[in-house]
Amino acid sequence: MRNYEDLKVWERSHKLCLEIYGLTSNFPSEEKFGLISQLRRASSSVPTNIAEGCGYDTPKEFTRFIKIASGSITEVAYLLRLSKDLDFISKENFEVINEEARIIRRMLYNLRMSQLK
């Protein structure tokens, strides 16, 4: 049985989720049910799916949830780009947070590949 809190990718994705919650608190209020909601749900999906996958016994089940988390972090990356292009976040904030999303995606890929060996 895995403990999700022991996984560095879970820790980083949890921190990214917290950052995104803080960042989106400054978005226009009319985005509450649009971009804010979608970005928050996508970002929370990453650590949530990692945690859920740790609750399963087989590498195959675990890998399935890591793949879902990987899809979610890709969604986050796009939504961050959209937020930048709409001038909801600065280019500098985008670059820092987007780089963290890339690192997390790479970590998820490596974790998934390690389960296939």
Side-chain angles (χ1 to χ4, degrees):
M1 184 168 140
R2 296 172 186 86
N3 181 357
Y4 65 88
E5 292 174 316
D6 293 338
L7 296 174
K8 293 216 181 287
V9 69
W10 176 85
E11 184 179 331
R12 288 184 89 140
S13 63
H14 175 67
K15 286 181 182 176
L16 179 66
C17 181
L18 295 174
E19 286 179 37
I20 286 174
Y21 265 74
L23 186 70
T24 56
S25 68
N26 297 318
F27 280 27
S29 60
E30 64 266 15
E31 288 297 331
K32 182 176 182 180
F33 299 110
L35 194 52
I36 293 170
S37 176
Q38 193 166 358
L39 191 49
R40 287 179 175 186
R41 282 183 290 115
S43 68
S44 65
S45 176
V46 180
T48 299
N49 276 290
I50 295 167
E52 187 171 356
C54 286
Y56 290 90
D57 296 329
T58 68
K60 183 178 179 180
E61 292 170 311
F62 177 65
T63 300
R64 183 168 68 91
F65 284 94
I66 297 306
K67 285 169 75 172
I68 295 168
S70 184
S72 294
I73 197 65
T74 304
E75 180 181 1
V76 167
Y78 168 70
L79 293 171
L80 287 169
R81 180 169 302 279
L82 178 60
S83 298
K84 176 188 68 76
D85 291 348
L86 292 170
D87 293 322
F88 295 162
I89 60 174
S90 69
K91 181 180 178 185
E92 294 77 22
N93 275 346
F94 167 76
E95 288 173 357
V96 170
I97 296 173
N98 193 54
E99 179 59 25
E100 184 62 19
R102 279 187 218 160
I103 291 167
I104 291 168
R105 187 169 185 216
R106 206 172 14 239
M107 291 173 78
L108 288 167
Y109 175 82
N110 290 335
L111 180 59
R112 187 166 51 94
M113 291 297 108
S114 74
Q115 298 302 302
L116 301 175
K117 294 179 182 180

